[in-house]
Amino acid sequence: MRRALELARQAWGRTHPNPMVGAVITEGGVVVAEGFHAQVGEPHAEVMAFRALGRRPAADAVLHVTLEPCCTHGRTPPCVDAILAAGIRTVVVGATDPNPTHAGKGLAMLRAKGVAVVEGVLREECEQLNLIFNHWITTGSPLLALKIATTLDGKLVLSPGEGRAVTGAEAHADVHRLRRLFPAVAVSADTALADNPRLTARNTGAESCGLRFVLDRHFKTAGRSGLNLFQDHYRERTIVVGLGSSAKKADLSWYEAEGIKVWSLVGDEESFLEVWAERCSQEKVTGVLIEAGPRLAASLLGARSVHYLLAYVAPRTGDSASPVWHEGVDLAGWAMRTSIMGQDALFQGFLG
Ligand SMILES: NC(=O)c1ccc[n+]([C@@H]2O[C@H](COP(=O)([O-])OP(=O)(O)OC[C@H]3O[C@@H](n4cnc5c(N)ncnc54)[C@H](OP(=O)(O)O)[C@@H]3O)[C@@H](O)[C@H]2O)c1
């Protein structure tokens, strides 16, 4: 199952709206074939493993797969049928498919045909792998994940003269890995103007770029043609999101003339994030990593408007003007896991 997880991760961030899945076939305890789901429309991991085997599996063959095999016709035929047709008698599964049309049905169908099914092997890792898919398929709305880099005293900006990067190299690499995972990344207009970020993933391999949202309720980025998000190679993936009610005609025509996409939402300051998330659902954006500064982060945490939190904490002190833990912002109800990244710690988890 560890190898199957490694295989699944080879398609890191490339399978949306599908999950990442890896599969391994063993015979006599020895790996004889491997496969993973590469992207939407491509065969599922189990089928890739059967193709790699290129013959009928031996009588003692075991299929190990990170996610419950599908049992319905989607873009491809059901994997349960392929498993039965191949004559596999034992299947080892990591996570149950949270998709309500599957959700254990595939396992029941295999058992009904006399196949031995072992469930829950490395379940937590297999579930964590698909946190975006799991949320999307059960709610139909995007997973909103808030990423913050804070000092030990809970500030998001360092003191003047201390530089800009709160956390170290390992944490930065991890953020780039997340940018590769999420189909979209978002920043506030204020952070876009202050930091001029690119929001691309550049840690390993070729640079990649998902959708890039600028959360700009009052369209204050209009006319700022020098921003990387408006002028780089990926500018057609930038979407400025604002309120139609506060849009000046001149501002909107500036974006249009520059070829920059705008979502002009119907709502007010209060409902802005909710309306934006609804639009994301309509556009099939399955998850957004929000890289918020202190005011947006405090607002999101205070209103519990995000589902998942990634807080990178550095052993430093910060600027007193940038606290994130205001009164009314607390961590009650967040199921956090901790990992160490160089000098920094990452606390991550769902709002339970
Ligand atoms: N350490 C980190 O993780 C991190 C991450 C990003 C940025 N930063 C730093 O943060 C600094 C900028 O700080 P900041 O406080 O100006 O940035 P910010 O918190 O990213 O953005 C503030 C803006 O977000 C908007 N906002 C707040 N609540 C909102 C809500 N509920 N819905 C929609 N929009 C909302 C508001 O814009 P409107 O009122 O105009 O609508 C507000 O002016 C920069 O120096 C940057 O380096 C740090």
Side-chain angles (χ1 to χ4, degrees):
M1 192 58 78
R2 280 201 199 291
R3 177 62 189 149
L5 275 164
E6 271 175 29
L7 291 163
R9 288 193 192 102
Q10 289 188 25
W12 188 251
R14 296 202 306 270
T15 59
H16 305 301
N18 279 359
M20 285 175 269
V21 187
V24 169
I25 300 171
T26 57
E27 290 176 353
V30 175
V31 173
V32 290
E34 302 180 334
F36 65 93
H37 179 50
Q39 60 178 47
V40 162
E42 295 285 315
H44 290 182
E46 301 89 323
V47 173
M48 292 304 285
F50 288 135
R51 280 193 193 171
L53 186 62
R55 58 170 168 79
R56 200 167 168 78
D60 70 342
V62 178
L63 172 71
H64 309 72
V65 60
T66 54
L67 184 69
E68 172 188 351
C70 66
C71 58
T72 54
H73 272 275
R75 293 178 189 88
T76 55
C79 289
V80 164
D81 291 358
I83 293 167
L84 294 172
I88 292 273
R89 305 305 299 153
T90 308
V91 177
V92 181
V93 173
T96 310
D97 189 347
N99 182 347
T101 57
H102 297 156
K105 291 193 190 95
L107 305 182
M109 284 166 76
L110 289 170
R111 285 190 176 116
K113 296 283 182 187
V115 175
V117 177
V118 181
E119 288 180 65
V121 174
L122 298 184
R123 184 197 301 273
E124 210 180 311
E125 267 181 75
C126 291
E127 285 176 357
Q128 181 71 14
L129 176 70
N130 288 313
L131 77 173
I132 298 173
F133 166 79
N134 296 347
H135 182 88
W136 171 256
I137 204 71
T138 50
T139 65
S141 61
L143 176 76
L144 299 181
L146 169 64
K147 171 252 144 184
I148 49 175
T150 90
T151 56
L152 207 48
D153 58 342
K155 311 296 194 300
L156 266 68
V157 178
L158 295 179
S159 307
E162 290 274 306
R164 228 170 42 193
V166 174
T167 47
E170 285 92 337
H172 283 175
D174 200 55
V175 171
H176 281 260
R177 205 179 55 85
L178 288 170
R179 285 181 181 172
R180 225 178 264 286
L181 174 67
F182 277 78
V185 180
V187 282
S188 72
D190 288 1
T191 289
L193 292 169
D195 293 357
N196 196 12
R198 285 187 273 166
L199 304 182
T200 58
R202 308 182 289 276
N203 57 334
T204 52
E207 185 176 26
S208 76
C209 180
L211 283 180
R212 304 182 297 188
F213 288 112
V214 182
L215 303 180
D216 189 4
R217 291 186 292 202
H218 307 295
F219 292 107
K220 42 178 135 158
T221 56
R224 304 299 291 265
S225 53
L227 291 180
N228 286 320
L229 296 170
F230 292 168
Q231 64 165 11
D232 70 8
H233 184 57
Y234 302 106
R235 60 203 290 275
E236 79 285 356
R237 299 196 198 160
T238 300
I239 302 175
V240 178
V241 189
L243 289 170
S245 53
S246 60
K248 293 193 212 97
K249 261 199 181 131
D251 291 346
L252 293 187
S253 50
W254 180 83
Y255 294 111
E256 199 184 325
E258 293 287 312
I260 293 158
K261 291 191 194 84
V262 169
W263 286 3
S264 188
L265 303 181
V266 179
D268 54 23
E269 287 206 350
E270 289 281 292
S271 63
F272 175 78
L273 289 166
E274 207 181 310
V275 180
W276 166 58
E278 276 165 21
R279 179 75 187 266
C280 286
S281 305
Q282 287 159 15
E283 306 280 343
K284 308 244 179 303
V285 178
T286 57
V288 188
L289 180 69
I290 307 173
E291 301 195 12
R295 284 179 293 160
L296 180 57
S299 167
L300 292 170
L301 286 164
R304 300 191 164 239
S305 310
V306 287
H307 311 107
Y308 198 80
L309 174 63
L310 293 131
Y312 297 85
V313 182
R316 313 179 67 170
T317 54
D319 187 330
S320 56
S322 64
V324 65
W325 308 117
H326 293 294
E327 203 177 325
V329 176
D330 68 51
L331 281 169
W334 290 90
M336 302 302 261
R337 295 189 297 121
T338 315
S339 34
I340 299 298
M341 298 193 170
Q343 280 208 58
D344 307 318
L346 167 62
F347 297 89
Q348 64 175 310
F350 280 98
L351 178 59

